[in-house]
Amino acid sequence: MAAPHEQVTPDVRPWPALWALVLGFFMILVDSTIVSVATPSILTDLHTDVGNVVWVTSAYLLAYAVPLLITGRLGDRIGPKKLYLTGLTLFTLASVWCGLTNSIEMLIIARVFQGLGASMMTPQTMAVITRIFPANQRGKAMSLWGATAGVATLVGPILGGVLVDGLGWQWIFFINAPIGIIGFVLAWRLVPDLPTHEHKFDLVGVALSSIGLFCLVFGIQEGQKYDWGQISGPISVWGLIIVGLVVIGIFLFWQAKNKGEPLLPLSLFKDRNFSLANTAITTVGFAITAMTFPLMLYAQSVRGLTPTRSALLLVPMAVISGMLAPFVGRLTDKAHPRYLAGFGLLCCSVSLFWLSQVIEPDVAIWKLLLPIALLGVANGFMWAPLGSTATRNLPMHQAGAGAGVYNTTRQVGAVLGSAGIAVLMESRLATNLPAMQGMAAEGGAGKLPEALRQGFSDSMAQSMVLPAAVLLIGFAAALLFVKPSFMNKSSDIPATTGVVEG
């Protein structure tokens, strides 16, 4: 697909703007991982049960995932900077609200607003970077983005453990207030106001996509809780999933037939790399979300590690990913994406297969750290090449739409990973350790008796094979990438297209 002849604004300073946006992105990622550490404290302090406290995370994920298509396109219409600042304000205020709540119901409602704020911010950060960085420099920008993701993965659980132990669970939310204020001031000053594109808003598409994604994501996310059966009255888990798929099918049919301006321009998928990158990032979202559950449950229930010490197992991953970021960033702007992304996806799959082989009750910690270090290599090579390749060839006026689609597929992959690994862990526990069935869903209760550790370890190790296998689909997709069009042009021609992944 040919891009229009739009050029990056010459007086924009892209790197200061990127650093301002990275702060908000970092906050969103930390907040998606930090709550898991505080779950037991929230459960006790608010006098609730596991079924309710799971909604503290579920409500956030739903409110984050469902509107992404809409918020991506809305940024194109009213301006990405305005919508980013609006989302950051909502996210920060909702964080304070979360910390001030004294009931589980109000905490869940506040998390919904927090998720809505995050959904406004994510596509805008990508759209802004798309339009202020030339395509032949975008890989370097993406390397910083990838390093941010790696560090946030580590910081979230560790920071959560420190705050919960020292100040109480409320402070995992309160800490967002000063970060949010600093992020707002920096974005206000450093992120440019970019020209908007006049779009007609596809209200039918908005309704169909929202209903379809909500039913699908809710059904998948809550399936394990309701044993994949009835939820209430005639409403069942599979009924919701089927309704979601049917409505999404109607949405796609409407997008194809809409003679005006559809919410999801299906022409985006005519670009081969965009379609393949969406396939690959779905498998990455699936795997990265899924692998943390068996690893953390093993570390805490079998090895008896605290949440903070369990999170420290991920240090090699974060450090290596951060060290590789500048190197991979330079390569991303020069090398064929199939080699970089393919190498990263293959390393990720191999590292998880490796973990599945070494997880044992008494294995030396250093034997766990080796495959986790390889996971750092994988992270270093996956995120930047996939994100920067995804929509380099798309027109700038579709930057928001492309970003929305890319993030939606990643989030749906994450939800599928969460649901899929929960089902598999329950299945393996039922086979290897029938007395422990149900423990995976409830997170366990301290270190297991020695007689149960082998069966539990085996169950977690066998579960790790699922995300490793799913990544092979992403690996196959990456091998089919074609060389981005900007690589065929002279490096001194200002590049104009692309979308960066968050």
Side-chain angles (χ1 to χ4, degrees):
M1 180 186 300
H5 296 289
E6 301 179 59
Q7 293 192 357
V8 177
T9 307
D11 58 346
V12 169
R13 298 168 60 218
W15 283 103
L18 174 60
W19 279 105
L21 294 170
V22 158
L23 187 61
F25 175 56
F26 181 81
M27 188 166 64
I28 292 172
L29 287 179
V30 166
D31 214 72
S32 65
T33 58
I34 200 172
V35 174
S36 60
V37 177
T39 297
S41 298
I42 294 172
L43 192 150
T44 302
D45 197 38
L46 297 183
H47 309 290
T48 186
D49 56 34
V50 171
N52 283 329
V53 84
V54 163
W55 267 100
V56 176
T57 297
S58 298
Y60 176 82
L61 289 175
L62 276 169
Y64 182 27
V66 170
L68 281 171
L69 280 178
I70 302 160
T71 56
R73 176 50 62 89
L74 193 60
D76 286 337
R77 183 174 181 177
I78 69 173
K81 178 178 178 179
K82 289 179 182 176
L83 200 59
Y84 174 85
L85 291 174
T86 302
L88 180 56
T89 301
L90 179 59
F91 185 93
T92 304
L93 292 175
S95 296
V96 176
W97 183 9
C98 287
L100 294 174
T101 55
N102 54 15
S103 72
I104 191 67
E105 294 79 12
M106 290 304 293
L107 179 57
I108 290 168
I109 292 170
R111 286 283 279 170
V112 168
F113 283 92
Q114 202 180 26
L116 287 172
S119 75
M120 291 183 194
M121 294 166 67
T122 302
Q124 313 324 315
T125 58
M126 293 188 298
V128 169
I129 290 171
T130 295
R131 295 169 65 181
I132 63 177
F133 276 94
N136 59 358
Q137 295 179 17
R138 206 165 290 135
K140 296 175 184 176
M142 270 307 304
S143 68
L144 175 60
W145 216 245
T148 301
V151 173
T153 302
L154 171 67
V155 169
I158 295 176
L159 181 62
V162 171
L163 289 173
V164 171
D165 290 340
L167 298 171
W169 64 264
Q170 293 88 345
W171 282 89
I172 67 172
F173 299 112
F174 286 147
I175 196 159
N176 288 336
I179 298 174
I181 292 170
I182 294 169
F184 186 95
V185 172
L186 290 176
W188 180 271
R189 291 177 60 88
L190 299 175
V191 176
D193 286 301
L194 298 171
T196 58
H197 300 280
E198 287 300 324
H199 290 293
K200 295 179 181 178
F201 225 63
D202 178 10
L203 296 179
V204 175
V206 169
L208 289 173
S209 66
S210 299
I211 293 169
L213 278 174
F214 178 84
C215 291
L216 180 64
V217 172
F218 181 90
I220 293 169
Q221 197 164 275
E222 298 301 304
Q224 186 64 29
K225 176 181 175 181
Y226 293 102
D227 199 24
W228 302 94
Q230 296 300 118
I231 295 176
S232 178
I235 301 173
S236 68
V237 170
W238 283 111
L240 276 178
I241 292 173
I242 292 169
V243 167
L245 290 172
V246 169
V247 173
I248 288 174
I250 296 171
F251 166 72
L252 293 174
F253 177 79
W254 167 248
Q255 298 302 284
K257 295 296 182 182
N258 186 352
K259 300 300 183 184
E261 192 169 1
L263 179 66
L264 171 58
L266 295 181
S267 58
L268 292 172
F269 292 94
K270 292 180 181 177
D271 183 82
R272 178 171 171 171
N273 281 359
F274 179 77
S275 298
L276 291 170
N278 273 277
T279 301
I281 200 63
T282 302
T283 68
V284 171
F286 184 106
I288 296 299
T289 301
M291 59 82 62
T292 57
F293 287 100
L295 180 61
M296 290 297 110
L297 282 170
Y298 161 78
Q300 295 178 41
S301 299
V302 177
R303 304 306 294 260
L305 302 179
T306 64
T308 302
R309 291 183 65 196
S310 298
L312 289 174
L313 290 174
L314 301 176
V315 166
M317 180 185 75
V319 171
I320 292 174
S321 178
M323 290 173 59
L324 283 173
F327 170 71
V328 177
R330 289 190 293 271
L331 281 181
T332 300
D333 291 326
K334 298 175 182 177
H336 199 302
R338 76 161 60 118
Y339 304 122
L340 300 179
F343 177 72
L345 284 155
L346 184 61
C347 283
C348 197
S349 181
V350 169
S351 69
L352 298 186
F353 275 121
W354 189 356
L355 268 174
S356 74
Q357 298 303 304
V358 299
I359 285 179
E360 290 287 344
D362 299 313
V363 67
I365 291 294
W366 68 267
K367 291 185 179 180
L368 294 173
L369 296 181
L370 289 177
I372 291 173
L374 182 60
L375 196 58
V377 175
N379 273 316
F381 277 87
M382 284 191 309
W383 295 100
L386 280 179
S388 57
T389 302
T391 51
R392 282 196 202 257
N393 298 334
L394 297 183
M396 270 202 185
H397 71 278
Q398 292 182 335
V405 173
Y406 190 69
N407 278 276
T408 300
T409 57
R410 186 185 62 176
Q411 283 297 113
V412 170
V415 172
L416 287 168
S418 177
I421 201 70
V423 172
L424 186 56
M425 287 191 300
E426 287 287 352
S427 171
R428 300 322 302 158
L429 283 171
T431 301
N432 297 324
L433 211 58
M436 294 303 298
Q437 189 172 5
M439 179 166 180
E442 300 187 12
K447 190 173 183 179
L448 291 170
E450 187 171 353
L452 301 176
R453 292 175 200 164
Q454 185 65 57
F456 194 89
S457 291
D458 291 345
S459 299
M460 297 304 102
Q462 292 159 11
S463 299
M464 199 74 76
V465 174
L466 175 64
V470 168
L471 280 164
L472 294 177
I473 300 172
F475 172 64
L479 292 182
L480 297 174
F481 278 148
V482 295
K483 185 182 290 188
S485 59
F486 86 94
M487 289 186 176
N488 298 319
K489 301 175 183 178
S490 173
S491 61
D492 60 355
I493 297 176
T496 63
T497 58
V499 169
V500 174
E501 189 273 322

